[in-house]
Amino acid sequence: MDFQNQTEMDKNLLVVTAIQGYAENHHISESEAFDKFSMHNIQSLIREQYDALHTQSLEETIDFAEDVMKRCEEKK
Protein backbone atom coordinates (compact mmCIF):
# COMPACT_ATOMS: atom_id res chain seq x y z
CA MET A 1 0.00 0.00 0.00
CA ASP A 2 1.40 3.38 -0.90
CA PHE A 3 1.68 6.36 1.43
CA GLN A 4 -1.25 8.29 -0.11
CA ASN A 5 -3.65 5.36 0.28
CA GLN A 6 -2.53 4.83 3.88
CA THR A 7 -3.07 8.52 4.65
CA GLU A 8 -6.60 8.36 3.20
CA MET A 9 -7.36 5.29 5.32
CA ASP A 10 -6.02 7.09 8.39
CA LYS A 11 -8.20 10.13 7.65
CA ASN A 12 -11.22 7.84 7.32
CA LEU A 13 -10.36 6.25 10.66
CA LEU A 14 -10.30 9.67 12.34
CA VAL A 15 -13.69 10.59 10.88
CA VAL A 16 -15.29 7.27 11.84
CA THR A 17 -13.83 7.44 15.34
CA ALA A 18 -15.14 10.98 15.82
CA ILE A 19 -18.63 10.01 14.64
CA GLN A 20 -18.72 6.94 16.86
CA GLY A 21 -17.41 8.84 19.87
CA TYR A 22 -19.83 11.72 19.39
CA ALA A 23 -22.73 9.30 19.06
CA GLU A 24 -21.72 7.47 22.23
CA ASN A 25 -21.19 10.68 24.20
CA HIS A 26 -24.60 12.05 23.22
CA HIS A 27 -26.56 8.79 23.35
CA ILE A 28 -27.61 9.02 19.71
CA SER A 29 -27.19 6.62 16.81
CA GLU A 30 -24.12 6.80 14.62
CA SER A 31 -26.46 7.65 11.76
CA GLU A 32 -27.76 10.67 13.67
CA ALA A 33 -24.21 11.72 14.51
CA PHE A 34 -23.23 11.35 10.84
CA ASP A 35 -26.13 13.59 9.84
CA LYS A 36 -25.07 16.24 12.37
CA PHE A 37 -21.48 16.06 11.16
CA SER A 38 -22.64 16.40 7.57
CA MET A 39 -24.81 19.39 8.38
CA HIS A 40 -21.76 21.24 9.70
CA ASN A 41 -19.19 19.72 7.30
CA ILE A 42 -17.19 18.31 10.20
CA GLN A 43 -15.91 15.29 8.24
CA SER A 44 -14.08 17.63 5.86
CA LEU A 45 -12.71 19.68 8.72
CA ILE A 46 -11.31 16.58 10.42
CA ARG A 47 -9.73 15.49 7.14
CA GLU A 48 -8.23 18.98 6.67
CA GLN A 49 -6.76 18.85 10.20
CA TYR A 50 -5.23 15.41 9.67
CA ASP A 51 -1.62 16.61 9.97
CA ALA A 52 -2.26 17.76 13.54
CA LEU A 53 -4.87 15.21 14.61
CA HIS A 54 -2.99 12.09 13.54
CA THR A 55 -0.24 12.91 16.04
CA GLN A 56 -2.75 12.88 18.91
CA SER A 57 -4.79 10.15 20.52
CA LEU A 58 -8.08 9.15 18.90
CA GLU A 59 -9.80 10.68 21.93
CA GLU A 60 -8.38 14.05 20.86
CA THR A 61 -10.16 13.69 17.52
CA ILE A 62 -13.43 13.08 19.35
CA ASP A 63 -12.76 16.11 21.56
CA PHE A 64 -11.98 18.20 18.47
CA ALA A 65 -15.29 17.18 16.87
CA GLU A 66 -17.13 17.88 20.13
CA ASP A 67 -15.64 21.37 20.29
CA VAL A 68 -16.47 22.15 16.66
CA MET A 69 -20.03 20.86 17.06
CA LYS A 70 -20.51 22.91 20.23
CA ARG A 71 -19.37 26.07 18.43
CA CYS A 72 -21.66 25.31 15.48
CA GLU A 73 -24.63 24.77 17.78
CA GLU A 74 -23.91 28.02 19.65
CA LYS A 75 -24.03 29.98 16.38
CA LYS A 76 -27.64 28.95 15.75
Side-chain angles (χ1 to χ4, degrees), residues 15-27:
V15 170
V16 169
T17 298
I19 290 171
Q20 290 173 332
Y22 185 86
E24 184 176 317
N25 290 345
H26 294 274
H27 310 289

Side-chain angles (χ1 to χ4, degrees), residues 18-19 22 33-43 65 69:
I19 290 171
Y22 185 86
F34 178 84
D35 290 343
K36 284 179 165 274
F37 275 47
S38 294
M39 185 183 327
H40 299 293
N41 206 24
I42 294 176
Q43 294 99 319
M69 185 66 73

Side-chain angles (χ1 to χ4, degrees), residues 11-56:
K11 288 178 181 180
N12 291 339
L13 173 64
L14 292 179
V15 170
V16 169
T17 298
I19 290 171
Q20 290 173 332
Y22 185 86
E24 184 176 317
N25 290 345
H26 294 274
H27 310 289
I28 60 175
S29 71
E30 290 172 5
S31 177
E32 289 173 294
F34 178 84
D35 290 343
K36 284 179 165 274
F37 275 47
S38 294
M39 185 183 327
H40 299 293
N41 206 24
I42 294 176
Q43 294 99 319
S44 294
L45 184 59
I46 290 170
R47 296 176 70 76
E48 291 169 7
Q49 296 300 316
Y50 170 77
D51 287 339
L53 291 172
H54 88 279
T55 65
Q56 307 298 312

Side-chain angles (χ1 to χ4, degrees), residues 2-4 6 16 23 25 27 32 36 45 57 59 73:
D2 66 22
F3 179 73
Q4 186 174 6
Q6 183 62 49
V16 169
N25 290 345
H27 310 289
E32 289 173 294
K36 284 179 165 274
L45 184 59
S57 70
E59 190 65 37
E73 296 291 320

